[in-house]
Amino acid sequence: MDSINRRELLGALAGAVCVTGLSGAHVERPSFFTEEEFVMLNTLTELIIPADEHSPGARAVGVAAYIDRVVAEAFLPEDQLSWRRGLAAVDRFSVSSIQKAFNTASGEEQIILLTQIAKNEKNPETAAERFFLQLKQTTAFAYYTSSVGIHREMSYQGNVLLPEFVGYDAT
C-alpha cells in the first residue's frame, strides 16, 4: 500500500465531501432525526422548494439529508434542540388545526398548514412561525448551494471572461 501524507488525505476527504454534498440519494437512516421527524422535514423542504418543469425540488436534491447531517454535527446542543422543538411545534399546530399529525395530513392539507404558518413571516409570534424562518432559510441555502440549485435552477456558469464590462459606470 502506498504511503499517503496527512495533507493528501485531508485533501482527498475534502474532495469527497464536496462531491457527495447534496447528492439527492436516499438516506437509509437519518443521523440525528427520528424517522418520523425526517419524513416531516423532507415533506416541509419539498413544500418550500417543490419540483417543477425547470428543476427538481428539495427532496430530489437531498435537502433534508443535508439538514440532518448539519444538525447531527452541530456543536451546540441548543442548535439541535431548536430543530426538534420546531418540528414538534409544526406538528402541534397541525393537530390543533386539523386534528391530524402533519405526517398523516393529505398533501393539500400540508400546503394549507404551511401557508398558515408562513403568513406571519415578517412578525412571527408562535413557535411554528419562528421555526418556519429557520427552516426556510436553511432549505434555500442547502438547495441553492447544491449543484442542481446553482447550475440548473440559477444557470450559474462560473467565472467567465467578459469581452466588455456591461455594468454601471460610476464616473
Side-chain angles (χ1 to χ4, degrees):
M1 186 166 148
D2 293 329
S3 142
I4 185 168
N5 69 34
R6 184 175 53 142
R7 181 171 289 169
E8 292 169 330
L9 177 62
L10 289 174
L13 288 173
V17 168
C18 289
V19 169
T20 59
L22 288 177
S23 65
H26 174 70
V27 174
E28 291 299 321
R29 272 206 158 103
S31 299
F32 174 76
F33 295 108
T34 65
E35 295 290 331
E36 188 174 307
E37 289 170 332
F38 188 79
V39 167
M40 184 178 187
L41 180 62
N42 209 12
T43 301
L44 287 166
T45 59
E46 182 69 15
L47 290 172
I48 292 170
I49 302 180
D52 61 19
E53 64 282 342
H54 184 260
S55 57
R59 181 176 288 131
V61 173
V63 169
Y66 168 83
I67 294 171
D68 179 59
R69 284 193 310 272
V70 169
V71 173
E73 296 171 3
F75 181 72
L76 299 173
E78 54 267 17
D79 291 339
Q80 293 177 330
L81 193 55
S82 72
W83 284 92
R84 278 242 152 85
R85 286 181 176 162
L87 290 171
V90 170
D91 210 39
R92 281 192 307 276
F93 178 76
S94 178
V95 170
S96 70
S97 297
I98 62 169
Q99 291 70 51
K100 292 181 189 175
F102 186 84
N103 285 346
T104 61
S106 70
E108 185 177 305
E109 289 169 326
Q110 290 172 338
I111 290 170
I112 291 167
L113 288 166
L114 194 59
T115 302
Q116 290 173 341
I117 291 169
K119 74 180 176 186
N120 290 328
E121 188 174 353
K122 295 203 186 267
N123 294 308
E125 296 174 7
T126 69
E129 291 170 348
R130 286 187 295 276
F131 174 69
F132 175 74
L133 293 176
Q134 177 184 16
L135 175 66
K136 182 180 172 184
Q137 290 170 352
T138 308
T139 299
F141 174 82
Y143 185 83
Y144 289 106
T145 57
S146 73
S147 179
V148 169
I150 290 172
H151 298 294
R152 192 163 171 189
E153 180 70 23
M154 297 189 328
S155 302
Y156 178 70
Q157 300 299 312
N159 295 333
V160 293
L161 180 62
L162 298 174
E164 168 184 340
F165 180 69
V166 292
Y168 178 73
D169 184 7
T171 56

